[in-house]
Amino acid sequence: MSTKTHTPPKTQHKYTYTHYPPSPQENRNNPKPTILLLHGFPSTSYDWRHQIPYLSSLGYGVIAPDLLGYGGTSKPTNLAAYKSKSMAAEIISILDAEGIDKVHAVGHDTGCTLLSRLADYFPERLLSCVFLDVPYMRPGERFDLDMVNRVTRDILGFERFGYVGFFAGKGSGVLLDRFADSFFTLFYPHSPSLWISHLCPTGAIEQWLLSDNRAPLAPYITEEELKTHQKLLVGNHDSALNWYRALVSNINLEDEKESQITPALSMPVLLTCPKKSELEMPGLEEGMRAVCAGDLVVRRVSTEGHWVQLEAREEVNRFLEEFFEGIGV
């Protein structure tokens, strides 16, 4: 393993990433492919700590970057830097720098948005796509937070994404830094149902933070892991929140319309989700089937939480192994 840095051409952004080359196999001229891991918010490549050693032990190469705004990677303040098309090109530049042609790509949370655009703009570079908990995001559609909250309230009985407005607002990063432990126990909850009252409704997360509320530490997180996470995120929440500001501002709409992207995944796809709960919007699996031109595999873990790669690590690792081995090269 090595931690590396790369600055893509035509940009001043420096990316840090963890890289495990494929292990030598019996046929050294035909090593196993590399797996690209794309984390979400509010995390870094550290959230793949249970997948990286496992996948590497199977002989796969692994590349896990800190995405733009996170960890050791650059944290531009210019919102335009967070356009999905340019960030996708920067990830491809990392693969080029390592001499890697094609990868299996895995995304979680907002990393699934970036994975969606990688599949749209660079499909020839992907052997497969794996979406953890969050599905493929269709291109060229205007995001209207008020409408989304209204629709989810009608369908689920509560606003599902009220927190997005807070994340996209000014001063949100400062508040997350100030109440970092309170935020962590809410966003990595001991009980997923905590989100229904204290995260999803508009204004709920602000009340939680300003009261400095604390929930019990999630059983899938150790005290040492919490400390490591906070070292990486505290002071850096605001740059990471630019992903949400980009979403709410619809800065990708023009690129996606100009590119005339057809929402279709031609490569094999794995969708791995928690077991069904009150938090899941209806039609998740059906929506994925509608855009998958090739094979789609849907697997559900035995837990209900969003952080499947942490909470259901052994199941996720097994699903990944079975999926990649089933594809071959």
Side-chain angles (χ1 to χ4, degrees), residues 125-318:
R125 305 298 295 268
L126 302 185
L127 295 166
S128 71
C129 292
V130 179
F131 295 85
L132 298 183
D133 194 40
V134 174
Y136 171 83
M137 307 298 288
R138 288 175 174 267
E141 296 184 352
R142 177 174 295 278
F143 181 80
D144 184 333
L145 181 57
D146 290 338
M147 183 187 71
V148 168
N149 282 329
R150 186 167 59 251
V151 169
T152 57
R153 189 167 56 243
D154 291 343
I155 295 174
L156 298 177
F158 59 91
E159 291 180 349
R160 180 63 180 83
F161 300 102
Y163 62 90
V164 171
F166 166 70
F167 281 173
K170 291 182 178 180
S172 51
V174 173
L175 208 57
L176 296 187
D177 288 340
R178 180 181 171 192
F179 298 104
D181 287 346
S182 174
F183 175 53
F184 185 92
T185 63
L186 174 62
F187 223 66
Y188 291 78
H190 71 296
S191 172
S193 62
L194 191 69
W195 284 10
I196 296 174
S197 299
H198 297 292
L199 178 70
C200 296
T202 299
I205 185 174
E206 294 97 310
Q207 293 177 14
W208 176 275
L209 295 173
L210 292 172
S211 299
D212 200 15
N213 288 330
R214 311 288 177 96
L217 187 63
Y220 52 88
I221 302 284
T222 67
E223 289 283 354
E224 192 60 35
E225 288 172 331
L226 168 60
K227 291 178 183 178
T228 300
H229 177 99
Q230 300 298 46
K231 286 180 183 178
L232 293 167
L233 268 296
V234 175
N236 296 323
H237 282 111
D238 198 65
S239 58
L241 288 168
N242 281 321
W243 287 63
Y244 287 94
R245 295 174 185 129
L247 171 67
V248 171
S249 300
N250 286 291
I251 68 171
N252 295 299
L253 199 57
E254 184 177 348
D255 286 340
E256 292 166 6
K257 287 186 174 180
E258 284 184 357
S259 299
Q260 297 183 327
I261 301 169
T262 300
L265 299 170
S266 58
M267 67 291 294
V269 177
L270 170 64
L271 173 65
T272 298
C273 296
K275 66 180 181 181
K276 291 188 177 182
S277 72
E278 296 175 271
L279 289 161
E280 182 177 314
M281 286 291 291
L284 174 65
E285 295 181 25
E286 292 78 5
M288 284 296 291
R289 290 192 178 93
V291 297
C292 288
D295 296 331
L296 170 66
V297 177
V298 179
R299 302 295 299 271
R300 287 186 180 268
V301 299
S302 60
T303 57
E304 293 184 357
H306 173 67
W307 302 95
V308 291
Q309 78 274 37
L310 300 177
E311 187 175 13
R313 64 196 69 165
E314 293 180 357
E315 292 173 271
V316 168
N317 288 347
R318 186 174 72 253

Side-chain angles (χ1 to χ4, degrees), residues 6 8 17 19 34-38 62-65 88-105 118 122 124-127:
H6 173 70
Y17 59 97
H19 182 213
T34 292
I35 298 168
L36 172 68
L37 301 174
L38 305 170
V62 178
I63 285 187
E90 289 169 357
I91 296 300
I92 294 298
S93 177
I94 295 174
L95 302 183
D96 291 342
E98 293 293 347
I100 298 170
D101 182 24
K102 299 176 185 290
V103 294
H104 295 295
L118 278 170
F122 301 98
E124 72 282 357
R125 305 298 295 268
L126 302 185
L127 295 166

